[in-house]
Amino acid sequence: MTAVIEARGLTKRFNDNTVVREIDFSVSPAQCFGFLGPNGAGKTTTLRMILGQSPLSAGSLSVFGLSVPRHGSKVRKRMGVVPQTDNLDPDFTVVENLRMYGAYFDLRGDGLARRIDELLEFVELADRAHVKISTLSGGMRRRLTIARALINDPELVVLDEPTTGLDPQARHMIWARLRDLRQSGKTLLLTTHYMEEAERLCDDLVIMDHGQIVDQGSPPQLIQRHVEKEVVEIREAATVANGLLDSLSGCRTEWVGDTFYCYTDDARPVVAQIDGIDKLVFLHRPANLEDVFLKLTGRDLKD
Amino acid sequence: MDMSLPRLKSRSLAIWKRNALVWRKLIGPSLMINFGEPLLYLLGLGYGLGLFIGEMAGMDYLTFLASGIVASSAMTTATFEGLYSVYTRMVPQHTYDAMLATPIEVDDILAGEMLWCATKSLINGVAILAVAAALGAVSGPSALLALPIVFLIGLCFAGPAMVISAISPGYDFFNYYFTLAITPMFILCGVFYPVDALPEPLQAFVQLLPLTHAVALVRPLVAGQPLSDVPLHLVVLLAYAVIGYYIAVVFARRRLVV
Ligand SMILES: Nc1ncnc2c1ncn2[C@@H]1O[C@H](COP(=O)(O)OP(=O)(O)O)[C@@H](O)[C@H]1O
Ligand SMILES: [Mg+2]
């Protein structure tokens, strides 16, 4: 099947600052494709180019086989967008927001009214249909933004950090809705800096840093490729005798803040060595995407 | 910079509709301003000054002033909408960003905004004419012909106002535009006295300003006097509208599509 999005040598410069550097990727239909990267990696800029809201500095980009930004308007007709910063229309109620957005897609009448009812059910806002936007919580606003992005029954839904800043309940609710969308055959493209989100939702993802794609694959592939199977984390490790940490057998070791990480394919000897030591707090777990991310994008603080 | 010519598409009407729906929600305060201001001007200035002035340019001063205010209010109404409302939706409120994630493009948005600015001028014009008619300052039903002109005046001033919005770093910047453009026109372009009362060089200068041409069309229609130089006046108003729109689209693209 042909790709929904195909990017070759995609590049974006602002003045002299190159924020997306010759990236290649392709998104298959009915897939959830993720961009995982720290703040400033260039995720939003990449999405804006896909929407045709930002001209390319170099490279080529096609969506649904149409070149972008040239056919931006045509492409956006078949796409839904959940932007990183909330831009619901504050002059309108919940249902008016959806109705107006439908009008931007040239939708009207009974068909639109039915669609709005379905979508309000889908995001569990039916009881809020007639309240002003300003009375909604952050989670509700995000759900409404998702409903808004679905008004035109899009083939591709693009979500820029859909759960950033939300509490865990709201986040889980949105994850469930996104899985529903994925089940119903829509293609999802999402950016996130939450590993858990990427791991739970994405079939395929790219890790992005400093405008470049560092690696690409499914979450299990990336974990297998870059890190050992198991991890032992020692918390507040600065208070532990250095001699002990150095002596841990057969580990690749890392420090992040005051936590000491020991990566190994078999952690049993390590655990045997440290178990029972007074005041030593440790966690033994399978490696996850966060470990890959930290390894590939470095441990220095970003923002 | 994307200088490509805008194309007019029917979807710009969705933006007009959006604004009309918001306006309908706030119809009370809006109409208060629409009717209240001209009433104050016409009662206060028209009767007050009218007592001393009597006639001006062959008509009652109240009629002279009312016809001038019809034109100048079309200017200020469209200008306020094209500055404050357009800027609010373009920058702090991110309303245009949301629209630009749909098939709508920058040229559609500004076309819809411009139509809306002119629509507000028209609503305002209807209010003023109604007040003026109630005060006996309107010659007859032919004054209704001034309304399409009022709509055109709205388009004419919406264009340049949206240019200012598109380049403005903030609301304060609008003060320059009012002080350097709008207020001088309000005072110099024949709203309160005929432009031939001005010194010669200034008379030539005000012929370049759109409000002069707006007044020159509206006044005879309201007063029931013969029109002159109609094509010239129409072309000037239309030129400000069209060129203003085009420049506004180019600058708004530079701001929004980056
Ligand atoms: N309009 C702009 N002008 C100049 N620099 C920008 C602009 N938009 C984004 N940037 C810069 O591009 C880089 C990538 O930003 P962004 O794509 O928003 O990253 P992310 O979404 O991954 O956090 C940042 O350094 C940001 O400052
Ligand atoms: Mg971002």
Side-chain angles (χ1 to χ4, degrees), chain A residues 12 48 53-55 73 76-77 81 87 89-92 96 100-101 103-105 148, chain B residues 11 14 18 21-22 25 93-95 97-105 256-258:
Chain A
K12 182 72 189 185
R48 286 177 53 82
Q53 277 190 19
S54 174
S73 184
R76 291 193 298 271
K77 196 163 182 70
V81 181
N87 57 23
D89 200 323
D91 293 322
F92 289 127
E96 286 168 337
M100 211 53 243
Y101 215 69
Y104 300 151
F105 285 93
R148 191 183 71 170
Chain B
R11 54 177 180 248
R18 178 209 171 273
L21 287 174
V22 176
K25 291 183 173 219
Q93 208 169 280
H94 299 290
T95 314
D97 289 332
M99 293 171 178
L100 290 173
T102 74
I104 286 175
E105 292 169 301
L256 296 168
V257 184
V258 287

